[in-house]
Amino acid sequence: MSNSTLWIVLLRMRMPFIVIIVTYTIAITGLLLIDGVDDKGNVYHMSIFDAYYFITYTATTIGFGETPYAFTYPQRMWVSFSIYLTVLGWFYGIGTLVSLLQDKVLLEELRRNKFRRNVKDIRQSFIIVLGYNNITSEIIKKALSYDIKTVVIESDESRVNDLLLENFTPYVPVLLSDVSSPKVLEEAGIEKSNCKGLVCLFNDDKLNLKIAVMAKLLNRNIKLVVKATTMNQGENLEDIGVDIVANPFSIISKEIDVAFKAPNILKLEKWIYKLDNLNAHTPNFPIGRYIICGFGRMGNYLHNRLSDNNIELVFIEIDEKKLVNYKEDSVSKIIIGDADDKKILTKAGILESVAIIAATNDDTTNLSILSSAKKLNPKIITIARENELGYISMFQNSRIDHVFLPANILINKTTNALINPLSDMFIQEMITKDEAWASSLVKRLTQTIDESPLLESIEIDNYDAPEIYKHLDNGEELKLKIFRTSLHNRELNNNVVPLALIRGDEKYLIPDWDMPLEKNDKILFACDKYARDDMQHIAQNIYEFYYAYSGKEKRTILRRILK
Amino acid sequence: MNMDKVISGFFIILAMTVNFGFVYGDLDTMTHHSKYELFAAIIINVIATVLKLGDRTQVGSVLLATSLVADIQLITAASVWTIATYASVVTSEVSTTIVSLSAGALLANFVSVLLYVGDTLKSKR
């Protein structure tokens, strides 16, 4: 009996039970001993059952009168005494039970049990999310939309209530508990084989590290997404073996860096994250002087990233203490002062600058800086960091050229990495390529398919693509081309572009159609709706595969007769 | 001396002895078996059961199980007796049933005592 609620109840009800038994016994024994008189005037003694019956309805204050015969005075005296005795005992028992049901410890235990049951019942893939806030709430929604369940652990009761009010479907089990104990992670099902990942995006780096270590020890095979806000922390997490180190500042500076070097890569990335289509306006960052307001963690990252892009950087920072990490180099200089002050902006050379980045951790300050800058230099390109993730964005109606929202990038990166590991890998590989590669891919995608192709990943195994797997298993050869075949007419090609093929540790970006397939290959395609249906049919349906492969209709039933 | 141990030991052993007292005698002769003794046996057994509640050890769980078995046997015996008395006639067949049911309870109580004593001997304190 591991069910501890029952034990709590039993332990607490011990005394009331004893009291009830003892009081009943005393009352019943008294009734058995005292002489009664029946309706004919003979002396009788109550039987045990008579006495038990009488006391049962008396103690519970129901009262059916005097049975089996009217009582004598000595009996009545005894009964008056027993009423006080048994009723008190009975009420004491009921009272204990009621107070027990309102007991915090018990309720906590009941909730925990329900949570454990819910986690145990999850049959499909699920992820564990630690902490419930705006960001993780978005992650949960995205995961659910991909038919991946989530389990949440949150230490703050009001946030748990927020989650319950959100009323996710399917149901999201949530446990109110401290997050940093192995026992809690076990309860959340981290050791189950269908647990695919753990999301831990606290602002406390130490806590994140602790949880990451615990999670890796409990289950080596899950994907960990952990937030880090410093380089050092990021390296620590990578040493442990965390799959995705979510560092919002590094992500955002990488984004800006990519936007400089290869805007089309950024475009592809936005398309994969379903933020935009391939016909969207390509962001354009001119070469020249950039003013960056705020030299905190983000400013630091920008400094490291942008210094090699042949642009001049001018930092403005209000707090002198933050300059300890600053290393003097040829392309950047730093001014101490309030970036919202027009004098300081002029001193930083606002009139000669091409762009201004407001990178402080306060949205109002960022907005205010950019509007001052616009007044001084109407032609300047404005770039803002948005911190608050809310339903209504303050930046929506401000005419800022580029708004980077670290939280949003974090959400997209996390869910994509957990749910579509193939496309996550593709993005990581893609970032190392150049602008020419990216623009030709964008062209190919838009010409072959449309401006917002779908992504489809297929693994050549017995579950995902049984027909192809069997065929390769028989030692036959098969080319990647098979996936392009139209099932309406074999001579035609569907609108498909192969994006990546993974074979063990080898990664092939944009593989050739003539590439021979092997077992356990994982392939990522961009395609349209029809092509997706056809690909799934070819991979899984014996008849469709046969047609695509040989151009004939497969005969199974009439095969022997028509040989 | 552990007062808890004394009290629970007392009731566990008393449950067995009273139960034995009731069972002792001819199977089909009801005069050998006092109804008051059965009454007492039931009460003491129930008290013994309650005293075993909430003990989460392995031995505690088995003790509770045996105790519940004894309760069920004795209460069934009492119910049979009550029903036979008020709704039909106490034949020798009925009385055999009553006594053998309580004899079953005696066996459970005996196991209970064995377990209890064994556990006590094993304990270091």
Side-chain angles (χ1 to χ4, degrees):
Chain A
M1 281 215 222
S2 62
N3 188 340
S4 45
T5 39
L6 186 66
W7 290 114
I8 295 176
V9 174
L10 291 179
L11 199 62
R12 297 277 295 273
M13 289 308 285
R14 233 189 217 183
M15 201 59 208
F17 282 152
I18 297 273
V19 168
I20 290 172
I21 295 166
V22 171
T23 51
Y24 271 45
T25 311
I26 293 169
I28 291 174
T29 315
L31 284 178
L32 292 178
L33 296 176
I34 298 167
D35 293 349
V37 177
D38 67 11
D39 49 357
K40 298 184 186 64
N42 304 321
V43 173
Y44 83 102
H45 277 261
M46 272 192 175
S47 69
I48 297 173
F49 179 70
D50 283 338
Y52 163 77
Y53 175 61
F54 177 81
I55 290 300
T56 300
Y57 66 67
T58 307
T60 52
T61 70
I62 289 169
F64 280 152
E66 297 173 345
T67 53
Y69 309 107
F71 286 176
T72 58
Y73 275 95
Q75 276 181 314
R76 282 180 188 168
M77 283 180 219
W78 179 252
V79 169
S80 338
F81 160 74
S82 349
I83 285 175
Y84 286 106
L85 190 71
T86 52
V87 171
L88 277 181
W90 188 253
F91 278 22
Y92 167 57
I94 297 278
T96 311
L97 197 61
V98 169
S99 70
L100 190 61
L101 290 178
Q102 294 169 332
D103 187 273
K104 279 251 182 314
V105 178
L106 182 80
L107 291 176
E108 174 67 26
E109 198 54 50
L110 282 172
R111 271 203 295 262
R112 221 169 248 272
N113 271 335
K114 185 177 169 207
F115 177 79
R116 272 198 219 108
R117 253 203 327 278
N118 284 327
V119 171
K120 215 171 151 178
D121 290 345
I122 296 177
R123 293 269 165 273
Q124 68 221 82
S125 313
F126 70 99
I127 54 172
I128 301 172
V129 176
L130 301 183
Y132 180 75
N133 51 34
N134 280 336
I135 296 179
T136 51
S137 145
E138 291 298 320
I139 291 174
I140 292 168
K141 279 178 201 154
K142 279 216 159 142
L144 292 179
S145 73
Y146 281 99
D147 200 29
I148 290 193
K149 283 203 152 189
T150 51
V151 169
V152 179
I153 304 171
E154 167 62 64
S155 54
D156 178 0
E157 190 160 6
S158 67
R159 290 208 190 123
V160 170
N161 291 334
D162 287 347
L163 186 148
L164 294 174
L165 286 174
E166 193 67 48
N167 227 341
F168 289 111
T169 31
Y171 177 71
V172 173
V174 57
L175 179 66
L176 174 62
S177 155
D178 177 36
V179 287
S180 62
S181 86
K183 186 168 166 281
V184 172
L185 290 181
E186 268 174 46
E187 281 178 352
I190 196 166
E191 290 171 321
K192 289 182 70 172
S193 57
N194 54 348
C195 178
K196 292 292 177 230
L198 177 112
V199 179
C200 171
L201 306 175
F202 293 110
N203 288 328
D204 176 351
D205 276 352
K206 272 207 186 82
L207 180 65
N208 285 338
L209 187 63
K210 184 179 168 186
I211 289 170
V213 173
M214 275 186 331
K216 268 288 165 204
L217 289 174
L218 289 169
N219 184 348
R220 299 201 55 75
N221 306 324
I222 58 167
K223 270 211 155 146
L224 287 180
V225 181
V226 185
K227 184 170 172 178
T229 53
T230 62
M231 294 254 193
N232 186 5
Q233 167 80 355
E235 280 161 16
N236 285 346
L237 291 174
E238 273 162 12
D239 291 345
I240 299 166
V242 170
D243 307 82
I244 302 133
V245 176
N247 184 331
F249 308 108
S250 138
I251 293 172
I252 212 166
S253 51
K254 209 186 261 179
E255 290 264 304
I256 295 177
D257 185 41
V258 168
F260 268 104
K261 289 185 176 131
N264 270 307
I265 290 183
L266 197 60
K267 197 191 241 185
L268 284 167
E269 195 174 338
K270 281 192 162 165
W271 155 67
I272 290 175
Y273 289 153
K274 294 187 182 161
L275 296 177
D276 232 329
N277 66 27
L278 294 172
N279 273 347
H281 165 73
T282 316
N284 180 20
F285 291 95
I287 301 289
R289 181 193 292 181
Y290 279 65
I291 297 177
I292 299 175
C293 312
F295 193 72
R297 288 170 304 188
M298 179 167 167
N300 251 311
Y301 271 102
L302 285 172
H303 179 239
N304 295 335
R305 277 257 161 207
L306 298 182
S307 289
D308 56 358
N309 278 331
N310 305 325
I311 51 174
E312 198 187 336
L313 300 175
V314 179
F315 287 97
I316 304 175
E317 170 58 55
I318 198 163
D319 182 1
E320 264 186 83
K321 288 194 199 90
K322 289 195 175 164
L323 305 185
V324 275
N325 301 329
Y326 177 67
K327 291 184 191 65
E328 192 69 45
D329 58 26
S330 56
V331 292
S332 67
K333 63 174 191 177
I334 214 154
I335 297 171
I336 295 170
D338 183 358
D340 213 358
D341 184 345
K342 290 201 170 71
K343 280 198 198 97
I344 298 279
L345 283 175
T346 319
K347 189 177 157 194
I350 184 98
L351 295 170
E352 300 85 55
S353 305
V354 288
I356 179 163
I357 304 180
T360 71
N361 58 5
D362 182 273
D363 285 347
T364 332
T365 311
N366 287 345
L367 276 169
S368 162
I369 289 172
L370 294 183
S371 65
S372 313
K374 265 277 191 221
K375 278 208 182 73
L376 292 170
N377 179 356
K379 287 202 303 255
I380 202 161
I381 291 176
T382 49
I383 300 162
R385 158 183 168 190
E386 186 175 352
N387 300 288
E388 292 290 324
L389 180 74
Y391 293 107
I392 299 159
S393 164
M394 292 203 281
F395 291 80
Q396 220 151 19
N397 299 326
S398 62
R399 296 224 200 101
I400 293 172
D401 300 303
H402 302 286
V403 177
F404 287 98
L405 180 60
N408 227 344
I409 301 171
L410 204 59
I411 291 165
N412 289 319
K413 205 176 156 61
T414 305
T415 44
N416 199 45
L418 287 171
I419 294 159
N420 317 320
L422 265 185
S423 72
D424 190 61
M425 183 235 81
F426 178 72
I427 289 175
Q428 280 173 23
E429 293 294 311
M430 179 176 78
I431 283 182
T432 60
K433 301 282 184 191
D434 59 358
E435 171 65 9
W437 181 90
S439 66
S440 77
L441 177 60
V442 170
K443 206 186 266 162
R444 184 175 165 187
L445 285 170
T446 43
Q447 281 171 356
T448 321
I449 310 164
D450 54 19
E451 72 278 4
S452 57
L454 301 169
L455 283 172
E456 171 75 7
S457 49
I458 289 183
E459 189 174 348
I460 311 289
D461 60 9
N462 220 345
Y463 173 77
D464 218 10
E467 286 308 312
I468 298 198
Y469 186 85
K470 265 189 278 183
H471 197 79
L472 293 170
D473 214 21
N474 295 337
E476 312 252 357
E477 208 177 77
L478 207 53
K479 290 193 170 136
L480 187 57
K481 259 199 285 221
I482 188 99
F483 285 110
R484 193 169 53 165
T485 320
S486 165
L487 291 175
H488 293 287
N489 179 351
R490 190 167 166 267
E491 303 308 313
L492 298 176
N493 290 334
N494 274 334
N495 307 331
V496 191
V497 175
L499 292 177
L501 188 147
I502 300 187
R503 185 171 292 166
D505 290 335
E506 292 169 62
K507 297 167 184 152
Y508 304 93
L509 283 201
I510 324 289
D512 198 57
W513 280 121
D514 285 326
M515 193 164 172
L517 288 171
E518 282 182 23
K519 283 190 286 184
N520 302 322
D521 281 356
K522 298 188 186 99
I523 317 155
L524 180 73
F525 294 103
C527 56
D528 58 16
K529 227 171 40 218
Y530 302 104
R532 177 152 77 178
D533 286 351
D534 278 5
M535 275 196 278
Q536 287 172 350
H537 275 116
I538 290 166
Q540 299 179 356
N541 181 306
I542 184 164
Y543 299 99
E544 303 292 1
F545 170 75
Y546 193 77
Y547 171 74
Y549 176 68
S550 66
K552 300 188 198 84
E553 289 299 335
K554 190 167 180 69
R555 295 192 182 121
T556 48
I557 301 168
L558 298 175
R559 194 171 49 182
R560 290 197 190 79
I561 305 166
L562 298 173
K563 236 176 194 171
Chain B
M1 194 171 80
N2 185 342
M3 204 59 207
D4 262 14
K5 279 269 182 200
V6 172
I7 293 171
S8 51
F10 170 79
F11 275 103
I12 290 171
I13 291 165
L14 186 65
M16 180 180 75
T17 51
V18 174
N19 195 339
F20 176 78
F22 175 74
V23 173
Y24 191 73
D26 279 351
L27 262 181
D28 54 354
T29 329
M30 254 8 245
T31 47
H32 291 187
H33 308 283
S34 153
K35 59 182 169 199
Y36 296 107
E37 209 162 6
L38 180 60
F39 175 61
I42 290 179
I43 286 168
I44 291 161
N45 258 295
V46 173
I47 290 178
T49 311
V50 172
L51 287 173
K52 292 168 189 171
L53 291 179
D55 183 356
R56 294 189 59 172
T57 57
Q58 288 287 1
V59 177
S61 309
V62 183
L63 272 176
L64 182 59
T66 53
S67 204
L68 286 171
V69 170
D71 286 342
I72 289 172
Q73 295 262 45
L74 288 172
I75 289 170
T76 313
S79 309
V80 169
W81 202 342
T82 309
I83 292 163
T85 309
Y86 291 104
S88 68
V89 183
V90 182
T91 57
S92 64
E93 201 180 324
V94 172
S95 65
T96 311
T97 311
I98 294 165
V99 178
S100 52
L101 276 168
S102 38
L106 175 63
L107 198 58
N109 272 323
F110 183 64
V111 171
S112 213
V113 170
L114 279 184
L115 282 169
Y116 184 78
V117 172
D119 188 42
T120 316
L121 289 180
K122 242 179 39 189
S123 113
K124 303 253 186 312
R125 279 174 288 107

